[in-house]
Amino acid sequence: AQSVTQLDSHVSVSEGTPVLLRCNYSSSYSPSLFWYVQHPNKGLQLLLKYTSAATLVKGINGFEAEFKKSETSFHLTKPSAHMSDAAEYFCVVSPNAGGTSYGKLTFGQGTILTVHP
Amino acid sequence: DTGVSQNPRHKITKRGQNVTFRCDPISEHNRLYWYRQTLGQGPEFLTYFQNEAQLEKSRLLSDRFSAERPKGSFSTLEIQRTEQGDSAMYLCASSAYRGNSPLHFGNGTRLTVT
């Protein structure tokens, strides 16, 4: 069984300040972890993924996330927010990448990021 | 790479009617997935195909729902005797058959049942 908890349903930051979106996961397997972003009326876009290689993962648009097994966390960060970052962000867990259930993703509830000028 | 295409973008139907949605995956992807997203929630897995074989179905997929991928290319999702609780965004995604290939999502079909 696997689950994801996004600790904040809404995060509000000012443009140019750091972003932190928190995620904790639970998985019976060694998981793959992802962050996806969803802009209004757009499809889900993959930001970054962790698949048991480096624990610090760099993604698109300056985002990165650190896998901490001891804390079962996979928080998403960005040093400086931009107005275009305003969107909904989903933390996602998948069973082991080689398993037949790969692609049966479990999504968190989502965090809406608001960026103020 | 033209991305995952879903049609229609929006569908409004009356309760009790049948609806069908179509998904065209990225051409070289042999895995195709359907997810459902209700307001304020993250997407939930419904089913997936590897080529034309439907390999797994969620218990969310009641007997009113049926998905097909007859030639291993496009897929259809049909909902019979729609109910208001079926109102949601239906998302399709595809991926290559490589261990950690990411899913590429379409823009979804928004269903409203009145």
Side-chain angles (χ1 to χ4, degrees):
Chain A
Q2 54 192 22
S3 65
V4 177
T5 302
Q6 292 184 240
L7 299 169
D8 307 290
S9 58
H10 291 80
V11 169
S12 181
V13 300
S14 298
E15 191 175 21
T17 64
V19 175
L20 170 63
L21 305 183
R22 298 181 295 164
C23 171
N24 287 105
Y25 71 92
S26 172
S27 178
S28 302
Y29 307 93
S30 177
S32 294
L33 293 160
F34 309 83
W35 277 96
Y36 279 84
V37 61
Q38 188 173 38
H39 287 91
N41 301 314
K42 295 282 184 66
L44 288 155
Q45 181 183 20
L46 179 67
L47 274 180
L48 50 81
K49 63 180 181 181
Y50 165 78
T51 54
S52 76
T55 56
L56 182 61
V57 181
K58 293 188 184 298
I60 62 171
N61 301 336
F63 284 94
E64 62 182 37
E66 185 171 8
F67 173 72
K68 292 186 176 180
K69 187 175 181 179
S70 61
E71 298 176 10
T72 61
S73 69
F74 190 58
H75 302 333
L76 181 70
T77 60
K78 182 174 181 178
S80 176
H82 191 272
M83 296 295 290
S84 62
D85 295 328
E88 188 163 18
Y89 292 78
F90 292 96
C91 182
V92 182
V93 63
S94 173
N96 185 288
T100 56
S101 291
Y102 183 80
K104 186 180 175 182
L105 306 178
T106 300
F107 283 74
Q109 301 271 55
T111 298
I112 295 173
L113 175 65
T114 302
V115 182
H116 298 287
Chain B
D1 178 358
T2 56
V4 177
S5 176
Q6 291 188 248
N7 287 288
R9 289 295 305 275
H10 298 94
K11 178 70 176 179
I12 301 174
T13 191
K14 292 185 177 180
R15 188 176 54 188
Q17 298 295 304
N18 299 343
V19 294
T20 299
F21 311 139
R22 176 176 170 128
C23 171
D24 288 90
I26 294 171
S27 58
E28 63 268 26
H29 286 177
N30 55 11
R31 284 194 166 184
L32 186 147
Y33 310 82
W34 286 99
Y35 282 77
R36 180 173 69 186
Q37 185 177 18
T38 53
L39 205 60
Q41 303 293 319
E44 296 174 292
F45 170 81
L46 293 179
T47 188
Y48 91 92
F49 294 83
Q50 184 165 306
N51 299 314
E52 65 275 10
Q54 188 173 18
L55 296 186
E56 191 162 349
K57 293 170 62 173
S58 163
R59 65 180 185 279
L60 294 174
L61 216 63
S62 76
D63 56 6
R64 296 185 297 105
F65 287 70
S66 62
E68 294 182 344
R69 194 183 184 197
K71 297 182 179 179
S73 56
F74 72 92
S75 175
T76 58
L77 178 67
E78 180 182 17
I79 308 174
Q80 296 182 326
R81 305 181 303 281
T82 52
E83 302 173 357
Q84 287 188 320
D86 298 331
S87 296
M89 177 75 84
Y90 290 85
L91 297 168
C92 178
S94 69
S95 75
Y97 181 57
R98 287 190 300 274
N100 59 356
S101 297
L103 272 63
H104 296 257
F105 283 85
N107 287 347
T109 294
R110 183 170 294 284
L111 173 66
T112 302
V113 181
T114 62

